Amino acid sequence: MVFQVVKQETKPIDGQKPGTSGLRKKVTVFKQDHYLANFVQSTFDALPSEKVKGSNIVVSGDGRYWSTEAIQIIIKIAAANGVKRVWVGQNTLLSTPAVSAIIRDRVNSNGEKAYGAFILTASHNPGGPDEDFGIKYNCENGGPAPESLTDKIYSNTKAISAYYTVDGIPDVDVTKIGTTSFEGPDGTFEVEVFDSTEDYVKLMKTIFDFTAIKDLLTNPKFTFCYDALNGVAGVYAKRIFLEELGAQESSLLNCVPKEDFGGGHPDPNLTYAKELVQVMGLGKKPPTNDVPEFGAAADGDADRNMILGKRFFVTPSDSVAIIAANAVGAIPYFNGGLKGVARSMPTSAALDVVAQKLNLKFFEVPTGWKFFGNLMDAGMCSVCGEESFGTGSDHIREKDGIWAVLAWLSILAHRNKLAGGDKLVTVEEIVTEHWNTYGRHYYTRYDYENVDAEAAKKLMAHLVDLQSKLGDVNNMIKEIRPDVAEVKEADEFEYKDPVDNSVSSHQGIRYLFKDGSRLVFRLSGTGSVGATIRLYIEQYESDPTKTFKPSAEALAPLVEVALKLSKIEEFTGRSEPTVIT
């Protein structure tokens, strides 16, 4: 039987503007008639038709609720738009980093690579019938669609009158590895279901010394715990940590992917990774067993990570700085040196100090991994990171949670090999030694989630207005906390990309203090309802005798200034943040 292309009339649906990481809405929104189809067709229409026809497209994601149904819809629209082959990870599962690796490296039997991918994920947002779903498009370089493309997609969603699907292709069984072929007007169309882990593991083995990491993980004195938060990272954790590196099965927590993430919030931070935090001795109750030496967690689609030592939390800002400082020597991939390093603007300046001392190129970019991708494609950046638990390198064009864990294990293996002896070099020792060398950036982030969008806009307008009255601002600061330094300048962060000269404006409101402290306010585009206000508070301390204060104590004066200066409770009605990191 030959399938037929069917033209389905439709009309624009409001609100299909992709954010920094694609389109995210509640499942109930995505399940509306034509909602997903409109967005997918608008994406195909934004791409060059000659590139789409005859291409290979990847379609998979983090396995959240409604993924199976969504994949079947996308397969049919892809066939109708002339795609030749759709690659699907077994059981719909591919981590976002794995998708990037597959686009860049996987070839079919004819030696052809993928042209792009639809990734079905809402990242660290909850899943389930009443929770979040998401879709984003990644390009030929393996990275997220640039703004020029997402703007075109959004424009198409506002004018769409029809999409194309097919009659004659039944739902494909995505639980079984193999290729299913169908005949259509333009010839054969194939859906290939393949092992979700194979390509990614192969790539990791070209980056890290698996033998050295295995020696560490099988050392009786070294204990390890990894929490996938019931996200897609679980399938990679089992393959890498158990099968390849010899870790004990008991070291894995929540490594069975679930469409509702086990009812939890798959966000790897001290608030939501409660079980791991407890195991690592950082919970409210004393741990019931011996605390492991090393712990890590992932988010729903495995691109984020949290790193913990025994009773010790490593901030994401410190993590990327420490990886950069130790990469050459500890990680074979970087033995030739680093091309450069980069961080997102809200991330602490810990990486800046490493770059300065090691004489590395340094870039400060807006939030959004695509900005790092431009630098990497131009050969200007090797290691990068953001404070929102995202760390990565130029091996792919997405942040990569398991890569970050393997990087830390490599550093631990390398440092313990250099140290010799019976005593383990610990995570805490590596971090405190880093502070002694480079200084410490005390840092915290306050997230106010699902705030009324209008209230959030008024708050940001208030903060912009204050920037024109720095004299008044400094008088207010003196009244609130005389021990806080004066603001020397304030602005809205603007970035001119050194690669393509594009300009990104209104990327966050900054107050920069004379002693190097910073307050940054941003509206985040990763939520599905309302607005998320993010407040970043940072204080730099270069004196090694003063780098061991509790973070909350060191930052308390700045926190008080930030809350009173912004009038955040007055604007939002919130007396405290949803999450403190």
Side-chain angles (χ1 to χ4, degrees):
M1 179 180 170
V2 178
F3 68 78
Q4 300 296 322
V5 175
V6 177
K7 182 179 181 180
Q8 173 66 56
E9 290 188 1
T10 186
K11 58 185 179 181
I13 300 172
D14 288 341
Q16 291 197 319
K17 183 177 176 63
T20 55
S21 297
L23 180 66
R24 294 181 187 171
K25 301 287 181 183
K26 291 297 181 187
V27 168
T28 49
V29 174
F30 267 99
K31 288 172 81 171
Q32 294 175 57
D33 288 346
H34 313 307
Y35 192 91
L36 175 63
N38 275 20
F39 186 80
V40 173
Q41 185 65 56
S42 295
T43 303
F44 278 127
D45 289 344
L47 300 168
S49 59
E50 68 275 11
K51 294 272 194 178
V52 172
K53 289 192 185 302
S55 67
N56 303 310
I57 296 286
V58 185
V59 184
S60 285
D62 59 18
R64 66 180 54 236
Y65 184 85
W66 206 62
S67 292
T68 302
E69 295 86 344
I71 280 178
Q72 304 298 342
I73 292 169
I74 297 168
I75 285 172
K76 293 175 177 64
I77 296 172
N81 280 272
V83 171
K84 186 177 181 181
R85 186 179 289 103
V86 172
W87 291 344
V88 180
Q90 188 177 17
N91 297 314
T92 77
L93 299 174
L94 283 175
S95 72
T96 294
V99 172
S100 185
I102 286 160
I103 294 172
R104 294 171 64 80
D105 298 326
R106 184 180 175 87
V107 293
N108 65 15
S109 56
N110 297 325
E112 300 165 334
K113 290 187 174 184
Y115 175 57
F118 288 98
I119 307 178
L120 306 180
T121 179
S123 190
H124 54 292
N125 293 4
D130 300 313
E131 297 295 351
D132 294 350
F133 192 78
I135 181 170
K136 70 172 188 168
Y137 184 78
N138 277 34
C139 299
E140 279 179 284
N141 72 341
E147 284 182 72
S148 57
L149 180 54
T150 56
D151 286 348
K152 199 180 288 187
I153 293 168
Y154 179 48
S155 178
N156 289 346
T157 68
K158 295 189 289 184
I160 191 169
S161 60
Y163 62 85
Y164 297 91
T165 184
V166 297
D167 187 15
I169 293 183
D171 285 354
V172 176
D173 185 352
V174 295
T175 66
K176 294 177 182 174
I177 290 174
T179 301
T180 309
S181 299
F182 305 94
E183 293 302 319
D186 297 324
T188 304
F189 169 74
E190 295 180 345
V191 178
E192 181 185 349
V193 179
F194 62 96
D195 183 304
S196 303
T197 63
E198 187 177 353
D199 297 279
Y200 182 79
V201 172
K202 185 178 171 185
L203 178 60
M204 291 301 104
K205 286 183 171 181
T206 68
I207 297 170
F208 300 104
D209 183 345
F210 269 42
T211 302
I213 299 173
K214 187 170 185 176
D215 288 345
L216 177 73
L217 286 182
T218 54
N219 180 338
K221 291 179 181 175
F222 185 83
T223 42
F224 163 82
C225 186
Y226 184 81
D227 189 347
L229 296 175
N230 292 121
V232 71
V235 297
Y236 298 90
K238 288 177 181 176
R239 173 72 189 274
I240 293 173
F241 299 129
L242 300 191
E243 294 178 29
E244 299 286 345
L245 297 173
Q248 299 294 314
E249 191 156 4
S250 58
S251 64
L252 301 187
L253 288 177
N254 304 309
C255 279
V256 176
K258 296 181 179 178
E259 61 182 15
D260 67 347
F261 306 107
H265 193 140
D267 197 353
N269 59 41
L270 295 172
T271 299
Y272 293 124
K274 293 186 180 73
E275 191 174 349
L276 177 68
V277 167
Q278 180 64 30
V279 167
M280 295 304 296
L282 291 167
K284 292 178 181 175
K285 300 175 186 174
T288 52
N289 297 305
D290 290 342
V291 177
E293 289 292 335
F294 179 85
D299 68 336
D301 64 330
D303 64 348
R304 298 184 186 212
N305 73 94
M306 177 171 68
I307 302 296
L308 302 173
K310 182 182 285 190
R311 300 184 179 87
F312 190 84
F313 169 65
V314 183
T315 71
S317 297
D318 278 344
S319 180
V320 66
I322 290 165
I323 290 172
N326 290 274
V328 178
I331 301 170
Y333 181 80
F334 298 118
N335 281 350
L338 301 181
K339 299 164 189 169
V341 295
R343 64 165 174 85
S344 65
M345 182 275 286
T347 303
S348 94
L351 186 62
D352 312 34
V353 182
V354 171
Q356 188 175 10
K357 290 206 174 188
L358 299 183
N359 197 26
L360 297 169
K361 286 182 188 171
F362 169 77
F363 303 92
E364 181 182 29
V365 306
T367 297
W369 209 259
K370 54 197 167 192
F371 297 104
F372 295 131
N374 260 13
L375 296 171
M376 290 172 180
D377 285 345
M380 299 164 74
C381 177
S382 295
V383 172
C384 56
E386 55 189 20
E387 49 67 40
S388 53
F389 296 88
T391 327
S393 88
D394 59 353
H395 66 290
I396 56 170
R397 296 297 180 267
E398 289 279 6
K399 48 186 173 269
D400 191 344
I402 286 183
W403 174 91
V405 174
L406 291 170
W408 265 94
L409 291 173
S410 297
I411 292 166
L412 285 162
H414 180 65
R415 296 295 292 275
N416 276 287
K417 185 178 178 183
L418 290 178
D422 293 332
K423 186 179 177 297
L424 280 172
V425 177
T426 67
V427 170
E428 184 173 358
E429 285 169 348
I430 287 172
V431 175
T432 52
E433 184 184 306
H434 183 88
W435 292 341
N436 286 337
T437 305
Y438 297 99
R440 181 176 180 184
H441 293 258
Y442 288 101
Y443 185 87
T444 190
R445 184 180 100 189
Y446 282 26
D447 287 7
Y448 296 81
E449 297 176 353
N450 296 332
V451 171
D452 176 78
E454 281 306 310
K457 285 178 186 173
K458 287 177 182 175
L459 167 68
M460 300 303 273
H462 162 69
L463 289 164
V464 170
D465 183 55
L466 280 181
Q467 292 185 334
S468 63
K469 308 166 186 172
L470 287 191
D472 293 344
V473 167
N474 284 322
N475 287 334
M476 282 188 266
I477 290 171
K478 278 178 191 169
E479 289 177 17
I480 298 166
R481 287 294 300 230
D483 51 342
V484 169
E486 288 191 342
V487 174
K488 65 174 181 179
E489 59 180 300
D491 64 9
E492 280 195 87
F493 181 60
E494 182 175 278
Y495 176 69
K496 184 176 182 182
D497 194 304
V499 179
D500 61 16
N501 293 319
S502 62
V503 175
S504 300
S505 305
H506 308 294
Q507 295 296 314
I509 295 167
R510 304 190 298 179
Y511 286 82
L512 310 176
F513 293 74
K514 288 181 178 177
D515 64 350
S517 302
R518 292 195 312 163
L519 295 179
V520 176
F521 298 82
R522 278 187 67 247
L523 283 182
S524 170
T526 57
S528 67
V529 175
T532 294
I533 298 168
R534 291 199 166 131
L535 161 60
Y536 310 84
I537 302 157
E538 174 184 359
Q539 173 120 29
Y540 178 57
E541 180 55 71
S542 59
D543 184 346
T545 65
K546 297 179 181 177
T547 57
F548 297 98
K549 285 183 185 177
S551 194
E553 178 187 321
L555 290 166
L558 266 180
V559 169
E560 187 177 347
V561 166
L563 298 181
K564 289 182 177 174
L565 198 64
S566 65
K567 298 183 178 178
I568 204 158
E569 183 173 358
E570 183 179 318
F571 280 105
T572 68
R574 303 284 181 89
S575 59
E576 55 185 41
T578 317
V579 180
I580 298 177
T581 302

